[in-house]
Amino acid sequence: MQIRYQLNSLLVLQGINCVFEGRHKIGIVGRTGSGKTTLIGALFRLVEPTQGRIVIDDLDITSIGLHDLRSSFGIIPQEPTLFSGSIRYNLDPLAEHSDHELWKVTIYHNQTRFNQKPSTNANDHCVFQSYDDVNTVVQDGLNWSLGQRQLFCLGRALLKRRKILILDEATASIDNATDTIIQKTIREEFQDCTVITVAHRVPTVIDCTMVLVMKDGKVMEYDKPMKLMNESASLFAKLVNEYWSQHKASRLD
């Protein structure tokens, strides 16, 4: 697959050719400008291939509508989007899920303000006052930390349960504790899903099934992470070593 943003511009992705197996956990890494974001954008058809195609379950993604395509993915983006209103509205804006489902999601949030337990009577409706308080979330969620906003996105993904989940540098700007919560939840709750992780923190993808290493719009390596780590000439191994060197240097400052 090849992609360029304008008719006569240079190729941004140059001959990407790989297969993501179902239920595998795929890590995508590379330095800034390597083409990671463009590759994810192509999955959502934010940009169309100049040459080649993307096929999911034997279906060319250009053969279906944009809404059907995009609604088939779960995503936790780098910049989470929240709206002015209630917690319930932000987790379930189309009111598609029950109180019990919402309660299960809030366990992962570990937020003390979710303190009303659901009724054990299946015929009763749970009333979560904090869920429905329209003043709980201000526009863009600015009264919540970035980590908490990411947990909203995790909650949405847990409710939707799509077979393909994409983390687009989702943990690039959050604290390690929230990163740990997200990674643990992904491992436990999305075992039967295909998870594609675009990683800023390279060690995040160490436990992935496969790692795709990009540079200048090309696939440089695509293999099991530990196999790449054991190859001294591997670009992935270099990126991991660079990350830990920078991490140690920042702790000494």
Side-chain angles (χ1 to χ4, degrees):
M1 179 182 65
Q2 297 180 344
I3 288 180
R4 54 166 50 95
Y5 284 110
Q6 296 180 354
L7 182 60
N8 297 316
S9 64
L10 295 174
L11 289 171
V12 181
L13 294 185
Q14 306 180 44
I16 302 295
N17 185 15
C18 58
V19 176
F20 293 173
E21 297 288 347
R23 299 185 180 181
H24 280 202
K25 311 306 180 231
I26 312 296
I28 302 177
V29 299
R31 295 188 175 89
T32 301
S34 62
K36 305 187 300 296
T37 299
T38 301
L39 181 58
I40 295 303
L43 285 175
F44 286 90
R45 288 181 59 194
L46 298 175
V47 57
E48 302 283 359
T50 304
Q51 182 177 327
R53 59 183 185 151
I54 299 175
V55 177
I56 300 177
D57 291 338
D58 298 322
L59 183 67
D60 187 332
I61 66 171
T62 61
S63 67
I64 61 176
L66 286 177
H67 178 269
D68 291 337
L69 171 68
R70 293 170 182 172
S71 62
S72 66
F73 296 125
I75 184 168
I76 304 178
Q78 182 175 3
E79 297 294 334
T81 300
L82 268 67
F83 307 99
S84 177
S86 67
I87 290 172
R88 181 190 296 276
Y89 175 68
N90 275 276
L91 284 173
D92 184 24
L94 299 180
E96 297 174 320
H97 302 279
S98 68
D99 286 343
H100 182 67
E101 289 174 305
L102 289 171
W103 178 257
K104 288 173 65 178
V105 163
T106 62
I107 293 174
Y108 292 100
H109 285 239
N110 195 27
Q111 301 295 338
T112 56
R113 65 178 72 189
F114 300 151
N115 54 19
Q116 179 70 41
K117 291 186 178 181
S119 168
T120 55
N121 188 334
N123 295 319
D124 289 344
H125 292 286
C126 315
V127 178
F128 300 106
Q129 292 182 349
S130 58
Y131 280 11
D132 297 313
D133 184 350
V134 296
N135 298 314
T136 303
V137 183
V138 303
Q139 187 61 38
D140 298 323
L142 297 180
N143 58 328
W144 295 71
S145 71
L146 180 57
Q148 289 171 322
R149 280 177 263 163
Q150 286 292 38
L151 290 177
F152 269 101
C153 293
L154 176 62
R156 292 169 186 164
L158 285 165
L159 287 170
K160 293 294 184 182
R161 296 287 177 173
R162 301 305 188 218
K163 289 298 183 181
I164 300 176
L165 175 65
I166 297 169
L167 285 74
D168 188 6
E169 302 208 48
T171 61
S173 303
I174 64 176
D175 59 278
N176 289 328
T178 306
D179 185 10
T180 300
I181 292 172
I182 291 177
Q183 297 303 329
K184 180 176 182 290
T185 304
I186 297 300
R187 285 194 301 271
E188 294 177 352
E189 297 297 317
F190 293 90
Q191 294 182 28
D192 295 330
C193 301
T194 303
V195 180
I196 302 172
T197 303
V198 179
H200 174 77
R201 293 170 175 159
V202 181
T204 299
V205 302
I206 291 293
D207 63 350
C208 284
T209 312
M210 299 286 285
V211 171
L212 181 76
V213 186
M214 299 186 66
K215 179 181 180 182
D216 299 330
K218 301 176 183 178
V219 174
M220 306 304 293
E221 298 167 348
Y222 185 47
D223 213 326
K224 296 178 181 179
M226 294 313 300
K227 181 178 178 181
L228 293 175
M229 281 289 294
N230 292 327
E231 296 178 3
S232 58
S234 165
L235 178 56
F236 179 65
K238 292 178 181 177
L239 290 173
V240 172
N241 290 334
E242 286 177 11
Y243 173 86
W244 286 119
S245 295
Q246 294 170 1
H247 180 69
K248 291 177 182 177
S250 65
R251 293 185 63 181
L252 293 175
D253 289 342

